[in-house]
Amino acid sequence: MHKDNQPLVFELSREGRIGYSLTDLDVPEVDLSELLPSSLIREEAAELPEISELDLMRHYTALSNRNHGVDSGFYPLGSCTMKYNPKINESVARFPGFAHIHPLQAEETVQGALELMYDLQEHLIEITGMDEVTLQPAAGAHGEWTALMMIRAFHEANGDTQRTKVLVPDSAHGTNPASATVAGFDTVTVKTASNGLVDLEDLKTKVGDDTAALMLTNPNTLGLFEEDILEIADIIHAVGGKVYYDGANLNAVMSKARPGDMGFDCVHLNLHKTFTGPHGGGGPGSGPVGVKADLIPYLPKPVLVKTEEGFKFDYDRPHTIGRVKPYYGNFGINVRAYTYIRSMGPDGLKAVTENAVINANYMMRRLEPHFELPFKQHCKHEFVLSGSRQKKLGVRTLDIAKRLLDFGYHPPTTYFPLNVEEALMIEPTETESKETLDEFCDILIQIAKETEENPEIVQEAPHTTVINRLDETLAARNPVLRYTKA
Ligand SMILES: Cc1ncc(COP(=O)(O)O)c(C=O)c1O
């Protein structure tokens, strides 16, 4: 028997026990030696586990129960938008006409799938205020890199090869400077002012004719709306640079404000966040990129076009940066995002934004008396607390995160953004009820009290999980990825 609070038993094999029964062969048996070189043929049968179907099922169910997911509990991981993924998305993604087609099929046999992709692009164009969208990039960071490669191609085509610098605010998501570096640019950090927004004076000293682009997410990773966005875009455009929108935070502004109207030249979206593609555990994601007209020639090829004869892929793109992904993107995630957009409708998407912002502000104000709140203004879809008060009492943000596990909650993002000491970044999302938000706040308030009265219980947490405090550095540096029989 598996017990929830006991380590899992992996040695379940018993000689002779079987969990399968194959039907008789209905094709002639093949002599392997005619197909494979003898060095590749096993001399002895592989030592595979022998286990009944029921025990196997229980094993995997027990393993899956140990995962924390949105379907099992609150997941307020800031910057990650761990919102509920409606099950209608799954039903539609499983339609045989979507699930059983192959990307190498002739275009005329998959017109429905192409129409869905085209339509999704049109919706994303409308939502972002851009002129064209590609669905190819596999996730957010890949979208960032794709857009930066287009910006690079644009500057090179204009003979502006001296534009080697990409400006990135110090509150940016780590993928921004990483993507800029991989795209061959040098990154220049722009400071955050005391109000949590881009420091305009610092920005002005850093722009010049070597500026290729500024990367910005709005709201920024402190959950604050960059109120000076129009001026920021003007500053960059005045020196000939492009303004890039990291759209991972679109959940805060969708259907209310559009990057294209804020002066941005290109944007990536995380369909696996805002548009309810499932994520966590490694993907797959989808990171479409939208661009304004002057970047269209550089879009990855092929570009999906609508013609009188139907939908087609256009490969005749002389200025393209090339393909960025085999085939045409992660189609299954795009089907889910399309289903979400169509099932919500424009008013539904607007309500998403409003509720995401209200939920975050509600929690922020409930927690404000108990934790340091570095930026006092209203937030958008997420907010950042500082554990600096607790740190003075010997309790670190990491301890608070671990203590939350005792109550069955996934902790918020910790130690990010880097410009807040002992950061605790909370993104509740719009899909949670007031009861859940209150329960979570009550527990965080309890932990703040424990920190004052009985800090050891927080410092030594977690107490109720199968494994207590892990040495995370050791686990990262020396991962044990293979199961070896005892
Ligand atoms: C603000 C921001 N930008 C970019 C990314 C990168 O997206 P992805 O993980 O899909 O590569 C994330 C992911 O969390 C993010 O929060």
Side-chain angles (χ1 to χ4, degrees):
M1 274 286 273
H2 294 291
K3 298 269 186 317
D4 279 351
N5 58 354
Q6 298 289 313
L8 277 185
V9 177
F10 281 81
E11 290 304 338
L12 295 170
S13 181
R14 296 291 176 274
E15 206 179 326
R17 201 163 284 174
I18 54 168
Y20 70 91
S21 43
L22 294 179
T23 52
D24 292 338
L25 266 187
D26 60 356
V27 289
E29 196 162 345
V30 185
D31 181 358
L32 272 189
S33 62
E34 287 171 15
L35 293 176
L36 295 171
S38 58
S39 60
L40 293 181
I41 301 176
R42 284 183 197 282
E43 285 169 11
E44 285 173 24
E47 198 189 334
L48 297 175
E50 297 175 81
I51 185 167
S52 72
E53 183 176 325
L54 174 60
D55 286 343
L56 188 70
M57 181 54 68
R58 286 196 180 139
H59 178 69
Y60 281 113
T61 305
L63 266 181
S64 69
N65 285 345
R66 298 226 164 145
N67 258 333
H68 188 95
V70 188
D71 289 352
S72 53
F74 187 41
Y75 208 145
L77 200 60
S79 199
C80 289
T81 312
M82 305 303 289
K83 66 200 228 182
Y84 177 64
N85 308 146
K87 297 302 167 246
I88 187 176
N89 296 355
E90 299 305 315
S91 313
V92 176
R94 283 171 178 70
F95 285 176
F98 294 142
H100 299 166
I101 51 176
H102 193 280
L104 292 180
Q105 254 174 261
E107 286 164 3
E108 59 274 16
T109 66
V110 286
Q111 283 294 302
L114 298 188
E115 184 170 355
L116 179 140
M117 287 166 68
Y118 189 85
D119 233 25
L120 175 59
Q121 290 179 183
E122 293 292 297
H123 285 299
L124 298 180
I125 287 169
E126 175 62 31
I127 288 169
T128 58
M130 292 288 152
D131 295 324
E132 192 59 87
V133 160
T134 171
L135 301 178
Q136 253 189 60
H142 194 203
E144 292 168 25
W145 174 82
T146 302
L148 288 167
M149 292 303 282
M150 283 190 257
I151 291 175
R152 208 179 130 141
F154 170 84
H155 290 314
E156 279 172 8
N158 289 329
D160 272 353
T161 46
Q162 83 290 354
R163 294 192 182 276
T164 54
K165 300 207 167 124
V166 169
L167 310 183
V168 183
D170 57 6
S171 65
H173 194 261
T175 50
N176 289 189
S179 302
T181 305
V182 178
F185 293 107
D186 297 325
T187 56
V188 177
T189 306
V190 180
K191 286 190 203 143
T192 298
S194 56
N195 60 359
L197 306 180
V198 168
D199 183 333
L200 289 185
E201 293 316 309
D202 189 52
L203 176 67
K204 285 178 195 158
T205 65
K206 293 189 171 152
V207 293
D209 63 4
D210 57 357
T211 303
L214 167 76
M215 298 179 85
L216 205 69
T217 183
N218 197 13
N220 63 24
T221 50
L222 295 164
L224 307 176
F225 192 82
E226 294 286 354
E227 291 160 9
D228 300 317
I229 187 58
L230 296 176
E231 189 180 345
I232 292 172
D234 284 347
I235 292 171
I236 302 298
H237 289 150
V239 296
K242 293 284 177 201
V243 193
Y244 174 85
Y245 186 89
D246 175 337
N249 290 344
L250 199 78
N251 214 46
V253 291
M254 176 172 57
S255 288
K256 289 279 182 183
R258 308 192 309 169
D261 302 331
M262 293 182 213
F264 287 94
D265 302 288
C266 50
V267 49
H268 89 260
L269 301 175
N270 279 25
L271 297 193
H272 47 293
K273 291 179 171 186
T274 319
F275 297 95
T276 65
H279 68 296
S286 178
V289 168
V291 293
K292 283 287 175 97
D294 54 2
L295 289 174
I296 290 178
Y298 309 98
L299 281 169
K301 76 172 179 184
V303 171
L304 182 57
V305 292
K306 189 176 180 180
T307 69
E308 294 207 335
E309 296 85 56
F311 297 93
K312 286 194 182 346
F313 284 114
D314 177 13
Y315 289 84
D316 185 17
R317 313 282 303 185
H319 302 290
T320 175
I321 59 164
R323 258 188 197 283
V324 298
K325 188 174 183 312
Y327 309 127
Y328 317 107
N330 282 331
F331 179 66
I333 299 299
N334 295 337
V335 174
R336 289 168 173 85
Y338 181 76
T339 308
Y340 179 66
I341 292 170
R342 294 302 303 270
S343 56
M344 296 300 287
D347 292 341
L349 293 182
K350 215 175 259 177
V352 163
T353 301
E354 288 166 1
N355 290 327
V357 172
I358 287 168
N359 282 0
N361 278 284
Y362 176 72
M363 287 183 81
M364 183 173 85
R365 295 305 171 204
R366 271 212 65 194
L367 293 169
E368 189 178 359
H370 308 277
F371 293 85
E372 200 56 40
L373 177 67
F375 305 104
K376 311 281 184 229
Q377 66 264 52
H378 292 325
C379 63
K380 285 281 173 277
H381 66 312
E382 62 191 2
F383 59 100
V384 183
L385 298 172
S386 165
S388 54
R389 237 184 264 170
Q390 286 71 25
K391 188 179 169 191
K392 291 198 188 101
L393 301 171
V395 167
R396 306 286 309 267
T397 285
L398 179 67
D399 303 323
I400 297 171
K402 296 294 179 195
R403 181 72 177 131
L404 279 166
L405 300 179
D406 284 335
F407 299 93
Y409 284 100
H410 195 289
T413 296
T414 54
Y415 299 99
F416 176 77
L418 303 177
N419 53 356
V420 171
E421 188 193 1
E422 296 287 315
L424 259 174
M425 182 191 209
I426 300 177
E427 180 178 4
T429 82
E430 74 285 359
T431 54
E432 299 296 335
S433 67
K434 179 169 180 294
E435 289 74 19
T436 302
L437 304 185
D438 278 332
E439 256 174 52
F440 185 77
C441 289
D442 290 344
I443 287 162
L444 264 182
I445 293 166
Q446 178 184 324
I447 295 173
K449 290 210 175 99
E450 287 172 351
T451 299
E452 289 164 12
E453 292 159 9
N454 182 12
E456 291 80 27
I457 199 168
V458 188
Q459 287 156 338
E460 288 161 19
H463 304 276
T464 60
T465 50
V466 179
I467 296 171
N468 292 17
R469 191 75 68 103
L470 288 175
D471 183 337
E472 288 175 6
T473 312
L474 188 67
R477 298 239 164 104
N478 190 16
V480 181
L481 301 176
R482 291 187 62 177
Y483 170 69
T484 39
K485 214 164 147 181

